[in-house]
Amino acid sequence: MSAVMDNNEPEVPGPFLRSAALEIGDTSFLEEIAPLRREGDQLFSRKVYQAALGKFKKTARVIVGDGFEIPLYCGEGGGFRSKKYMEMKQAKRLALMECCVQIARCLRELEDYEQSLIWVEEVEVIVRNLCFSNTEAMFDWHADLPRIEWNPNDGIEQFYVQRVRALCLASDNYLSLWNTGTAAQRRHLAYKITQHLPPNVNSITFRGIVSSAAMFLFYQFRHPDPQMTKDLMANEESLQVMGSWSKIEVQRDRNIPPRFGFASFIWKGRYYIVGGEKSHSGPYYKDMHYIELSNVSTGWHDLPSYPGDMIRVSGWKIGVYQDKAYFFNGRPQLDYFDLVTERWGSVRTRPADRQWPYPEKDFMDYAGVLVKSKFYVFGGTHGNVTTGCNLFMVLDLSDPRLEWKKLTGHASQPLVPDWNCPGPRRHPTIWADERVPGSERIYLMFGEADRAGAKFRREPQGSSESYSYGDFWSWDVNQGGWRRERMVGNPPCARSEMAYTFNEKLGMAFVFGGYSPSLPADYVEEGKNLITLRDVCTEVEARSHSRIPYIPCSSSAFHGSRHWKNLLIWWIY
């Protein structure tokens, strides 16, 4: 993670959003929905929430027309990108955004948090599809706060009011589910919107929706927050799961000093670790060890250290194929460790287009996953790109030619925004779901664009604040092509450097810990204000509060239906 440092280079603003979808369009539908909205508002004020819900849902149906499913279904289309939404004119967009908020309010009052979240998050889906309709693609950090060329009298203020209301309502729902990270992130985005309003929008309008005083309360949260421990309960089975941690006692080995950034994998009941570093300035490690998971009492076993000339063996990923663990380090030479003979070796690969995309040093923090015989790698940083790149390549280890093929994205500057693939980043999560033959998909989510580091090095896309991705993508292994997926349920907040794994038996992915470079925290401890631009990593949280007997750890589980649950897990000492 890069420190937030300033220099005299001005931040380059994103492109203006220019789209035919910003036109007001036909407004005749307003006469039809006016009585429905009025009746819905009256029923809501009388606390007849179920009847009000019916009126607002009928209003939404009139707006979108028959034959269109709303909210977007997370099926084959991913549930995020919609041609209908991209082509929708401004009058209908504003009416639909308001309607979604009202439906979500009714559902919250009825304590149906799952459906309330689906409807309120639909507002952000609508807004992002407006960005998709732009004539020019933009990076995600620009799409979060799009610069829109508004026409006079086109409902400009209502656009921002409904978006901010939706984000604050989503925040309230997540907080009710003890998901402090996502609650704070949604509220923070709402606050940022009010700080970047067009000059002809009255900011006073938003004081009753989100304020700096209210934000201070959210910035004091830790994720998870120890003050909420005594009240923690799983009251929504579809959105929360109770569980517990138990510490595995392993005899300490002085030959294995504490570290981060190491590579790891499991093979035949053994857990292997390789390399890592004590800090960004070193020392760097090349040692390799394993432990028998069925008998951890035997402790760690030493293996031959990595023999290559790379100084920093950190942030690498491993693919195990035919009893060999392959280590990709950004160079054509692909190193491997033979798990049977316990010896190191290497093979020479080559790019299919004859031009190697990376500089042959300092490539790290990428995502890598093996699907059958194919090793996929995405993103990462290297000596020429601090922000992170979004190159996606594949190597077929069963092909004697050993050629890397470029699938999407770019490795070096200039990085180009593209709506059709994930943006440039480091430390994303990645896993493959191979349970259904012929329908295998690779899933990728989260990560960080190190814009602060880029600014320090005077690279393009630099900013005083780095960017946490909260997106979710999948790659069709057989047909090719990325698809933006929608996260429903109780998802983790945008983050980087998290731990994650996918369990094929359960059909579930688990995400744990990490940090956010763009979510502020301002909390008081022992009378002192501690201010940081990063939320607290849950691993650090658990260690630094050992005086509390039970510490909930911020974790999440993903089900095959793209449905997330927050794991209310206790740390048992």
Side-chain angles (χ1 to χ4, degrees):
M1 74 184 68
S2 297
V4 178
M5 303 185 71
D6 201 5
N7 59 34
N8 296 323
E9 294 291 326
E11 182 175 338
V12 178
F16 273 102
L17 199 161
R18 299 180 176 93
S19 170
L22 288 170
E23 299 171 3
I24 287 292
D26 180 28
T27 60
S28 59
F29 74 97
L30 292 174
E31 294 183 13
E32 184 177 356
I33 68 172
L36 290 170
R37 294 165 76 176
R38 184 168 56 253
E39 292 169 16
D41 289 338
Q42 291 172 352
L43 289 166
F44 187 89
S45 64
R46 300 204 306 266
K47 299 184 179 181
V48 188
Y49 301 120
Q50 193 66 52
L53 176 63
K55 295 295 182 181
F56 291 130
K57 282 190 173 182
K58 190 172 182 180
T59 302
R61 174 57 52 210
V62 173
I63 296 171
V64 301
D66 295 329
F68 182 76
E69 187 170 4
I70 180 172
L72 296 185
Y73 171 64
C74 298
E76 294 303 317
F80 197 89
R81 192 162 181 161
S82 166
K83 183 179 180 182
K84 180 88 169 182
Y85 284 169
M86 284 189 278
E87 296 177 349
M88 183 174 285
K89 300 300 184 182
Q90 182 72 344
K92 286 193 172 183
R93 180 181 303 106
L94 294 177
L96 186 59
M97 290 170 67
E98 180 181 4
C99 193
C100 288
V101 172
Q102 293 296 76
I103 291 172
R105 290 180 67 201
C106 291
L107 290 163
R108 175 174 170 79
E109 294 295 338
L110 294 168
E111 297 186 350
D112 188 344
Y113 295 108
E114 182 175 5
Q115 287 298 312
S116 180
L117 282 169
I118 289 175
W119 279 96
V120 77
E121 293 286 8
E122 190 80 1
V123 175
E124 279 301 292
V125 173
I126 293 169
V127 172
R128 190 52 62 100
N129 274 274
L130 172 61
C131 295
F132 293 156
S133 72
N134 194 35
T135 54
E136 183 180 356
M138 59 184 75
F139 291 110
D140 289 75
W141 48 86
H142 293 144
D144 277 0
L145 301 168
R147 303 167 67 212
I148 302 176
E149 284 195 339
W150 294 101
N151 297 315
N153 304 317
D154 55 6
I156 173 176
E157 186 167 296
Q158 275 304 302
F159 176 84
Y160 292 103
V161 167
Q162 297 306 329
R163 190 182 180 201
V164 169
R165 287 182 67 201
L167 287 165
C168 290
L169 180 56
S171 175
D172 292 340
N173 281 337
Y174 288 122
L175 191 58
S176 297
L177 298 168
W178 313 106
N179 190 342
T180 56
T182 307
Q185 188 274 327
R186 296 294 191 271
R187 188 78 59 157
H188 178 58
L189 178 55
Y191 182 67
K192 285 180 67 176
I193 291 170
T194 66
Q195 304 303 301
H196 294 81
L197 294 169
N200 54 337
V201 173
N202 188 356
S203 61
I204 297 177
T205 307
F206 298 85
R207 290 181 181 175
I209 308 175
V210 59
S211 65
S212 56
M215 289 311 305
F216 178 71
L217 297 176
F218 278 86
Y219 292 156
Q220 290 185 81
F221 284 138
R222 305 190 187 188
H223 315 298
D225 196 287
Q227 300 302 318
M228 297 182 179
T229 301
K230 64 182 185 340
D231 300 318
L232 199 60
M233 292 181 63
N235 47 24
E236 286 287 330
E237 291 185 3
S238 63
L239 301 174
Q240 298 167 310
V241 178
M242 290 298 292
S244 64
W245 285 102
S246 58
K247 187 176 181 180
I248 299 175
E249 298 291 343
V250 180
Q251 184 177 358
R252 185 173 181 179
D253 191 329
R254 295 183 178 180
N255 293 326
I256 309 178
R259 67 191 65 193
F260 69 93
F262 57 90
S264 65
F265 63 96
I266 294 175
W267 178 78
K268 293 188 176 181
R270 292 178 175 181
Y271 178 60
Y272 292 79
I273 62 171
V274 187
E277 55 192 275
K278 183 177 181 180
S279 71
H280 290 296
S281 58
Y284 307 122
Y285 306 114
K286 295 185 177 184
D287 52 343
M288 185 172 186
H289 314 269
Y290 77 87
I291 191 169
E292 296 282 358
L293 293 176
S294 61
N295 188 12
V296 297
S297 62
T298 60
W300 290 97
H301 302 264
D302 297 337
L303 291 169
S305 296
Y306 173 71
D309 59 357
M310 300 290 286
I311 296 176
R312 196 173 187 178
V313 183
S314 182
W316 294 1
K317 299 298 181 292
I318 300 170
V320 178
Y321 176 67
Q322 293 185 345
D323 297 334
K324 292 180 180 178
Y326 289 89
F327 295 73
F328 181 61
N329 55 25
R331 302 191 299 182
Q333 177 178 306
L334 186 65
D335 300 314
Y336 66 83
F337 183 77
D338 191 312
L339 296 163
V340 177
T341 64
E342 297 186 346
R343 294 181 179 180
W344 286 92
S346 65
V347 292
R348 190 73 180 179
T349 66
R350 62 182 181 180
D353 60 3
R354 298 185 180 182
Q355 183 174 357
W356 190 247
Y358 309 105
E360 294 192 22
K361 63 176 182 178
D362 298 331
F363 181 68
M364 58 192 302
D365 302 336
Y366 63 93
V369 66
L370 190 81
V371 182
K372 295 184 174 63
S373 65
K374 294 182 178 180
F375 194 17
Y376 293 82
V377 298
F378 175 91
T381 61
H382 53 74
N384 298 339
V385 174
T386 304
T387 306
C389 69
N390 68 339
L391 180 63
F392 187 43
M393 298 202 306
V394 62
L395 172 70
D396 190 344
L397 293 168
S398 67
D399 187 340
R401 294 174 297 179
L402 291 177
E403 288 185 341
W404 286 98
K405 295 180 181 179
K406 175 183 175 180
L407 299 174
T408 60
H410 303 272
S412 300
Q413 300 287 2
L415 300 174
V416 180
D418 187 345
W419 294 132
N420 298 310
C421 65
R425 68 192 73 192
R426 60 200 287 254
H427 293 301
T429 70
I430 194 170
W431 71 85
D433 188 348
E434 305 177 66
R435 292 174 298 157
V436 181
S439 299
E440 297 88 351
R441 299 194 76 88
I442 294 171
Y443 290 92
L444 184 139
M445 61 185 285
F446 293 177
E448 166 196 0
D450 188 2
R451 302 185 68 204
K455 182 175 183 178
F456 179 69
R457 297 185 59 177
R458 300 183 183 275
E459 295 177 8
Q461 292 88 48
S463 172
S464 58
E465 182 180 293
S466 292
Y467 181 78
S468 297
Y469 283 96
D471 54 355
F472 188 27
W473 294 80
S474 73
W475 173 266
D476 189 323
V477 172
N478 298 287
Q479 302 298 322
W482 287 104
R483 184 175 74 193
R484 180 77 179 261
E485 303 281 359
R486 180 171 181 172
M487 288 191 286
V488 297
N490 191 11
C493 71
R495 62 186 67 193
S496 180
E497 295 192 34
M498 53 269 144
Y500 62 95
T501 188
F502 177 73
N503 187 298
E504 282 197 2
K505 300 291 185 181
L506 299 175
M508 298 170 64
F510 296 82
V511 175
F512 174 81
Y515 82 102
S516 170
S518 53
L519 180 59
D522 183 358
Y523 51 86
V524 177
E525 183 174 288
E526 297 178 358
K528 298 180 181 179
N529 286 330
L530 304 178
I531 301 176
T532 177
L533 286 177
R534 290 162 171 80
D535 67 351
V536 181
C537 171
T538 52
E539 289 184 314
V540 175
E541 190 77 27
R543 289 196 300 269
S544 62
H545 291 84
S546 57
R547 64 182 182 276
I548 301 175
Y550 301 105
I551 298 295
C553 297
S554 177
S555 305
S556 297
F558 161 80
H559 297 254
S561 59
R562 305 170 188 83
H563 186 281
W564 287 91
K565 293 185 179 182
N566 191 33
L567 303 185
L568 305 179
I569 298 178
W570 302 101
W571 187 285
I572 300 177
Y573 292 89

